[in-house]
Structure formats: structure tokens, C-alpha cells
Amino acid sequence: MRVRCLQIIHPAADIPVAEFEGIRVGGVYPVLEMVTYDIDCQIRVLGADTPDPGLLWDPADFETVDTWIPPGWTLVIAGGRTRLADARWQRPGFWADYTHGDPQALADYEHVKRELLAATPPTEN
């Protein structure tokens, strides 16, 4: 799945800006995952200059330009959250392990990121 950035509201100043942390208005970016908590929804987007592991954004600031969902993605509902992401990122504690530098979590993140960036959606007939 790829999205186009429609607007960026700077998180500290609450004003519109043209770019933030590697994401630019008008740019098209891969979605790494979608996460919902209660009624809040966020998408993890990775820009060319965005620090790993990407940033969580309000999907209202983006529009879908490619609806293809990679084959390894799964939908998991647990602990008040709904996550749509690669199955390797769905294990409990994945992001905490990633943040703490766990070698397996870092390797899983890098592997999935490379796959997503290299993925070519199927063509429509």
C-alpha cells in the first residue's frame, strides 16, 4: 500500500508545514503498518529521509494511491488494538524489542522493510 501526503501539521507547533522528518506534502510513501487503538487510527509511513522505523501519522493527512496489501500481512485484534502489518511484526512485544535493540526484532524489521520497498504490486487486467 502506498499513500500520498496531503498535509502535515507540525506536532509541536500545530501549524501546517511543507515537510517533517522526511515526509513532504505531495510525496508518495509506502505504508509499513496500520494500527488502531479504540477510535484512534494511525499508519506507519517511511519516507526516503525518515528515521527508522518510520513515523505514525493520522491517515486523514494522506490519500491512498495504491491499495495493494503485501501477501505476508495479517490482521490481529488483541489488547484493545487492531494491527494490519507483516506477520513477523505481529508478535507481542515486537516494537518494544525493536526499540531496545533486540537483534531478532531489528533483523525482522530490516527484512520486512526491504521487502516492502522492493515490492511491486500486481498489475490489474
Side-chain angles (χ1 to χ4, degrees):
M1 175 186 302
R2 294 192 185 276
V3 293
R4 177 179 295 109
C5 181
L6 300 175
Q7 71 173 356
I8 299 172
I9 304 300
H10 193 284
D14 200 30
I15 59 170
V17 294
E19 63 181 274
F20 182 81
E21 294 283 337
I23 303 296
R24 291 168 188 78
V25 172
V28 175
Y29 305 100
V31 174
L32 302 182
E33 72 174 335
M34 184 177 75
V35 183
T36 63
Y37 308 90
D38 298 321
I39 61 170
D40 185 36
C41 180
Q42 296 178 316
I43 54 175
R44 185 176 302 276
V45 176
L46 185 65
D49 301 320
T50 304
D52 280 329
L55 298 172
L56 291 169
W57 294 89
D58 183 340
D61 296 336
F62 294 82
E63 67 180 351
T64 303
V65 296
D66 172 10
T67 62
W68 180 69
I69 304 291
W73 282 33
T74 59
L75 179 69
V76 173
I77 301 170
R81 295 184 188 150
T82 302
R83 293 185 63 215
L84 177 63
D86 189 278
R88 290 163 282 191
W89 294 0
Q90 294 283 21
R91 70 173 171 75
F94 170 78
W95 287 113
D97 290 346
Y98 174 89
T99 301
H100 292 109
D102 175 77
Q104 185 61 56
L106 293 172
D108 287 344
Y109 171 79
E110 285 299 324
H111 188 82
V112 170
K113 179 178 91 169
R114 277 193 309 273
E115 286 180 355
L116 288 173
L117 294 176
T120 303
T123 57
E124 294 183 22
N125 296 334

